[in-house]
Amino acid sequence: MRFFSLFPKRLQWILQMLLVLLILMTVYRLMFYYHYRPVNKPFSGKTFLLGLRFDARLISIIGLLILILSTIPLLNPFKKRAALYFWNAFIIILFFIILMMYSVDFFHYDYLQQRLNASVLNFLEDSAISSKMVWETYPVLKMAFGITLTLGLILFLHNRFLRQKISVHSMMNSRKPRLYFTGIVLLFAIFSFGKLDQYPLRWSDAFSLADDFKAQAALNPFQSFFSSLQFKNSNYDIKKLRSGYALMADYLGVDNNDSIQLNFERKITFTDTLLKKPNVILVICESFSAYKSSMFGNKLDPTPFFNYLCKQGVFFERCFTPAFGTARGIWATITGIPDVESPKTASRNPAAVDQHTIINDLHAHDKFYFLGGSTTWANIRGLLNNNISGLKIYEEENFKAGKVDVWGISDKNLFLESTKILAQQQKPFFAIIQTADNHRPYTIPQEDEAEFKKVNYSADTLKKYGFEDNDQLNAFRYTDFCFQKFMEAARKQSFFNNTIFVFVGDHGLRGDAGKMFPAAFTKQGILAEHVPLLFYAPAILQPVSVRNVCSQLDIMPSVAGLLKQRYRNNTFGRDLFDIANQKERYAFIADPDMHTIGLVSNNFYYARNIRTNKKEFVSVTWDTVTVGIAADSAKAKMSSLTEAWYETSKYLLLHNKKQP
């Protein structure tokens, strides 16, 4: 204990109690790991090092709390002997809460194979049944005895530590203690943040281990519980789910209907296969709003190069994202499930981190994800690493180009460096490139100012064609400039002729499309979800423009279909190139800002406000909705299917587990 003698006596007392807590947490993690680990899983040093960081975060927060309280003269045990009674009570209550949380966590994992999370609060609704089940299933008396014994030991140690320090007169001068206290506060603050980075330590960092059990073992119950607290009401209505099951299963073409087991699985196979699998580059384009682009007749012609590409590829004019927001768009594209969480996103919900994705069915392909910034944003790294096997992630620190703003390196450099990396691959690859420059602060890199020429229009002209200001317009135009640089670089590579390029907006933008679009797009706000979708592969696909409605959810089934790759689909997307499937298509939208759920068809948009229950049924063509049997029938069908889709989405967010 000589180390502690270097500090002022109040810090010695605090640090010794925190050390006791750290030892208890470490012993628990060892016990948890070896009790629940799968057969033959070796010890993981990375798991315990990351777990130590999570524990250090909690301990630092507790340390700061004790330090702040002990500065109050009445609560300073070195100035008021009576404060000793307060601190004995405080330590007993504190450690009781911690021991209870850890005990419940141990058996919660035994029951649900999940660390303690806020869903446990739902058991309080049936507290009598839940408590009886716990009493009959788990060794409650043994647990209570163990907690009591441990608390007695902790109280003994605390009394000993504190009384020992009180009886010893400190010989330190007044300057050194201030220095020590400042250093410890700074250290606690750093550990509370969790890491020296733009983003704090989050639960999703555990899933960077790319192993579900290791991730679970690295977490502690406080981290998992409080991270999920805002999602405690994330659930579904089983009666509504089963009521709409037949309608949903029929629309999706489920192989074996089962409203009891709630089966949504479809296993897609192909009679013919491709001897040489094409590569796939999926570009998820930041804020790529349809009405602001050249493909839909915008007179400011912001995207002339992409307009040219669309005429050379398979262009879907009426693609909608299931929600507004980048995190929701990434989620929908990868998982095939609409993100119906509100107000937070599904990527931030620890209970939803385990997801099957069709990407894993592309067995012949190496997987890559390129982002100019950090995937820590919105916990996307947890979604990616935990669910996509063998994924190689490239972020801003992996690129040679310098950072230009908060979003990392420029999109141009992101494209160029990603192209060089992909050109070195010997196997087929599936790569996602996520852009960011078409976003505030709308930075145009200085290195491109000579070649990329900004434009300047009057405020009324900008407003007429859907732009807030010239900065937003030029950022949109810069996106097109980056697409051109990307394709010029890609054409020089040997992989080009055997690559399918897919471009889709992560979301659209709300605004006023004026007379460029039917009134419903502006009035009902679906401009926020309307995006271009392009499949471009000159050597593989014949150019065509498709006016039928489709969804961002359809991307991965369509990619797998083009590759003739057998896959399992447990979510919503359908293959857009499957000409045998002639069922009418819909695009589901759950707008988190408008608080609406609804469906878009080729002719109509139906929406219901989940707060006010107000319903809308409008035309999405230049014609107004005519009152008649056809419109009434469409409204009734879309109303029922909307409710089924919404409830099924809530269910699948929690029941689309990846296969081992």
Side-chain angles (χ1 to χ4, degrees), residues 209-428:
L209 298 170
D211 181 295
D212 190 64
F213 175 73
K214 290 180 181 178
Q216 298 287 348
L219 290 167
N220 66 41
F222 284 89
Q223 182 77 41
S224 58
F225 180 82
F226 286 104
S227 295
S228 61
L229 192 59
Q230 57 201 321
F231 299 99
K232 68 182 178 68
N233 295 320
S234 297
N235 218 322
Y236 51 90
D237 187 317
I238 191 66
K239 291 182 179 178
K240 290 181 180 178
L241 179 63
R242 290 205 165 103
S243 174
Y245 175 82
L247 192 62
M248 200 74 247
D250 177 67
Y251 175 78
L252 295 174
V254 172
D255 296 335
N256 299 298
N257 287 18
D258 189 336
S259 61
I260 303 301
Q261 297 297 321
L262 297 169
N263 175 49
F264 292 97
E265 185 178 76
R266 289 93 71 203
K267 291 184 177 179
I268 313 299
T269 59
F270 297 90
T271 54
D272 57 333
T273 58
L274 299 177
L275 294 177
K276 186 178 181 183
K277 296 287 187 184
N279 308 300
V280 178
I281 298 178
L282 169 58
V283 183
I284 302 179
C285 314
E286 173 63 48
S287 303
F288 201 23
S289 186
Y291 77 103
K292 293 178 183 288
S293 64
S294 301
M295 296 78 72
F296 298 89
N298 193 300
K299 298 299 184 183
L300 298 185
D301 196 22
T303 56
F305 179 76
F306 196 81
N307 190 27
Y308 161 79
L309 284 185
C310 290
K311 293 175 181 177
Q312 310 300 316
V314 181
F315 177 52
F316 293 88
E317 299 181 23
R318 308 188 73 188
C319 178
F320 293 86
T321 65
F324 176 77
T326 300
R328 298 179 193 276
I330 303 297
W331 180 276
T333 303
I334 290 172
T335 68
I337 306 173
D339 182 354
V340 292
E341 288 282 10
S342 181
K344 296 291 186 177
T345 62
S347 63
R348 293 176 168 91
N349 184 355
V353 70
D354 191 5
Q355 295 288 334
H356 168 72
T357 171
I358 293 173
I359 296 172
N360 278 335
D361 291 319
L362 309 183
H363 303 295
H365 291 70
D366 286 338
K367 283 85 176 179
F368 297 85
Y369 198 100
F370 299 95
L371 176 65
S374 170
T375 55
T376 303
W377 155 85
N379 296 327
I380 293 298
R381 182 180 291 147
L383 170 70
L384 298 173
N385 273 327
N386 193 56
N387 298 304
I388 304 177
S389 301
L391 179 68
K392 300 179 183 70
I393 296 178
Y394 288 82
E395 308 176 76
E396 60 182 76
E397 64 267 19
N398 303 120
F399 300 115
K400 296 178 181 178
K403 184 176 178 179
V404 295
D405 60 22
V406 66
W407 305 115
I409 71 171
S410 72
D411 285 348
K412 185 199 76 174
N413 287 326
L414 172 66
F415 280 129
L416 295 181
E417 293 203 38
S418 300
T419 301
K420 289 180 181 178
I421 293 169
L422 295 175
Q424 298 170 7
Q425 305 311 308
Q426 302 300 313
K427 290 176 60 179

Side-chain angles (χ1 to χ4, degrees), residues 328-613:
R328 298 179 193 276
I330 303 297
W331 180 276
T333 303
I334 290 172
T335 68
I337 306 173
D339 182 354
V340 292
E341 288 282 10
S342 181
K344 296 291 186 177
T345 62
S347 63
R348 293 176 168 91
N349 184 355
V353 70
D354 191 5
Q355 295 288 334
H356 168 72
T357 171
I358 293 173
I359 296 172
N360 278 335
D361 291 319
L362 309 183
H363 303 295
H365 291 70
D366 286 338
K367 283 85 176 179
F368 297 85
Y369 198 100
F370 299 95
L371 176 65
S374 170
T375 55
T376 303
W377 155 85
N379 296 327
I380 293 298
R381 182 180 291 147
L383 170 70
L384 298 173
N385 273 327
N386 193 56
N387 298 304
I388 304 177
S389 301
L391 179 68
K392 300 179 183 70
I393 296 178
Y394 288 82
E395 308 176 76
E396 60 182 76
E397 64 267 19
N398 303 120
F399 300 115
K400 296 178 181 178
K403 184 176 178 179
V404 295
D405 60 22
V406 66
W407 305 115
I409 71 171
S410 72
D411 285 348
K412 185 199 76 174
N413 287 326
L414 172 66
F415 280 129
L416 295 181
E417 293 203 38
S418 300
T419 301
K420 289 180 181 178
I421 293 169
L422 295 175
Q424 298 170 7
Q425 305 311 308
Q426 302 300 313
K427 290 176 60 179
F429 56 78
F430 173 88
I432 295 176
I433 302 177
Q434 180 187 340
T435 71
D437 282 349
N438 188 27
H439 193 294
R440 296 186 186 279
Y442 301 138
T443 304
I444 307 298
Q446 188 174 359
E447 67 183 69
D448 295 320
E449 288 181 354
E451 186 174 3
F452 175 78
K453 302 298 182 182
K454 293 182 181 180
V455 296
N456 189 57
Y457 289 97
S458 63
D460 58 338
T461 299
L462 291 166
K463 183 179 179 181
K464 182 178 180 180
Y465 295 109
F467 290 94
E468 296 177 4
D469 51 38
N470 281 298
D471 286 341
Q472 187 186 58
L473 170 61
N474 283 308
F476 210 90
R477 294 178 59 252
Y478 181 70
T479 293
D480 192 63
F481 170 82
C482 294
F483 291 155
Q484 183 172 355
K485 293 299 178 184
F486 172 44
M487 297 312 295
E488 288 173 354
R491 282 194 180 95
K492 297 175 182 177
Q493 306 303 328
S494 59
F495 66 71
F496 180 79
N497 287 331
N498 194 43
T499 298
I500 299 170
F501 297 86
V502 185
F503 294 83
V504 68
D506 60 350
H507 58 81
L509 289 171
R510 224 175 298 281
D512 187 349
K515 295 182 179 180
M516 293 185 289
F517 278 79
F521 282 77
T522 296
K523 187 176 180 181
Q524 272 66 41
I526 57 176
L527 292 172
E529 289 83 23
H530 185 208
V531 295
L533 171 60
L534 171 66
F535 287 76
Y536 176 77
I540 300 172
L541 299 173
Q542 293 297 314
V544 64
S545 185
V546 182
R547 285 197 54 80
N548 289 331
V549 72
C550 66
S551 172
Q552 194 178 47
L553 303 172
D554 299 322
I555 290 173
M556 284 313 305
S558 302
V559 166
L562 288 173
L563 298 178
K564 303 293 184 184
Q565 174 65 57
R566 181 175 61 186
Y567 65 96
R568 168 181 170 260
N569 193 352
N570 193 53
T571 53
F572 292 94
R574 288 162 50 178
D575 184 356
L576 297 173
F577 296 91
D578 182 6
I579 58 175
N581 190 343
Q582 297 299 316
K583 287 184 180 179
E584 184 175 9
R585 295 185 184 274
Y586 299 95
F588 176 79
I589 295 175
D591 194 306
D593 300 324
M594 304 287 282
H595 309 295
T596 54
I597 55 172
L599 288 178
V600 183
S601 71
N602 285 340
N603 299 305
F604 304 111
Y605 174 54
Y606 167 85
R608 177 176 73 84
N609 189 297
I610 58 177
R611 292 189 173 180
T612 66
N613 208 37

Side-chain angles (χ1 to χ4, degrees), residues 182-221:
T182 302
I184 288 295
V185 168
L186 185 60
L187 195 63
F188 281 163
I190 292 171
F191 278 121
S192 296
F193 196 75
K195 55 183 178 180
L196 299 173
D197 196 10
Q198 181 179 353
Y199 300 96
L201 183 68
R202 292 169 170 166
W203 63 265
S204 59
D205 288 302
F207 292 91
S208 65
L209 298 170
D211 181 295
D212 190 64
F213 175 73
K214 290 180 181 178
Q216 298 287 348
L219 290 167
N220 66 41

